[in-house]
Amino acid sequence: MTTTPTLRAATKADIPAITAIYGAEVRNARASFELDPPSEAEMRSRWKSLVDGGYPYIVAEIDGEVAGFGYCGPYRLRPAYYWTVEDSVYVDPRFRGRSLGLTLLSEVMKLAEEAGFRQAVAVIGDSANHASVRLHARLGFRPVGTLQNVGYKHERWLDTVLMQKTLGEGAETAPKGK
């Protein structure tokens, strides 16, 4: 059994595994504020939209299986926000405890920086999600606020923790392009 993951761009063929990993999180956890797992068709549409928009979307593969995935997407849709991304990382429970979240998020941040994005925002569902807060802090994200009781899932009110990381030149210079 291999312990070192292979990181690569997510493909259409990965969508069933991505859908299964994310669907389990939606059903059983509080990291996502979605209440019903999206279909494969919906996940394919989301993946295509992000990839077509120039955002990084990757998978970690171990022994031929998708063990986790990560991506960045728009933080907000209005044009002035273009240079700011929001990250997402999910790991199949069978592969947790191997630093896959750290590996995935590190690569996604590297790719986002290489693409010219300037800020990354983590919108962490549930202030009790200490693992995600620690993961982001390890990669240089700093806490910028907590929105209290803004979501209701699994019979309880949930907070959202906001963390932010500067990418590349950050706000030192005006961005090029777009």
Side-chain angles (χ1 to χ4, degrees):
M1 178 182 222
T2 305
T3 57
T4 305
T6 300
L7 300 181
R8 60 174 176 75
T11 68
K12 185 177 177 181
D14 298 318
I15 299 303
I18 289 169
T19 302
I21 292 167
Y22 185 66
E25 287 296 311
V26 169
R27 279 188 303 279
N28 304 314
R30 295 182 297 267
S32 168
F33 278 25
E34 288 198 66
L35 300 178
D36 298 309
S39 67
E40 277 187 33
E42 174 60 23
M43 292 299 284
R44 188 180 316 81
S45 175
R46 293 178 188 185
W47 162 78
K48 184 172 179 358
S49 177
L50 291 172
V51 171
D52 288 352
Y55 296 96
Y57 201 127
I58 64 172
V59 295
E61 190 175 75
I62 296 178
D63 292 331
E65 284 190 74
V66 173
F69 67 98
Y71 62 87
C72 281
Y75 169 64
R76 296 285 183 263
L77 295 178
R78 293 193 173 126
Y81 288 115
Y82 175 78
W83 302 102
T84 301
V85 293
E86 179 180 337
D87 73 270
S88 289
V89 172
Y90 293 93
V91 175
D92 184 314
R94 297 173 300 143
F95 295 97
R96 290 190 183 150
R98 300 181 190 194
S99 298
L100 278 180
L102 180 64
T103 301
L104 281 161
L105 187 55
S106 295
E107 183 68 9
V108 167
M109 290 297 96
K110 181 182 92 111
L111 293 170
E113 189 169 313
E114 288 172 358
F117 295 106
R118 299 297 187 87
Q119 299 291 328
V121 175
V123 181
I124 300 169
D126 192 6
S127 58
N129 190 346
H130 303 296
S132 187
V133 170
R134 281 192 307 271
L135 168 64
H136 284 86
R138 280 186 69 183
L139 289 174
F141 282 77
R142 65 192 185 287
V144 293
T146 299
L147 304 173
Q148 298 178 335
N149 303 311
V150 294
Y152 189 79
K153 184 175 180 179
H154 299 312
E155 306 303 318
R156 63 180 280 211
W157 287 102
L158 301 170
D159 300 340
T160 298
V161 176
L162 301 174
M163 298 180 79
Q164 184 175 348
K165 175 184 176 71
T166 298
L167 302 175
E169 296 176 356
E172 296 298 315
T173 62
K176 293 177 178 61
K178 204 78 164 145

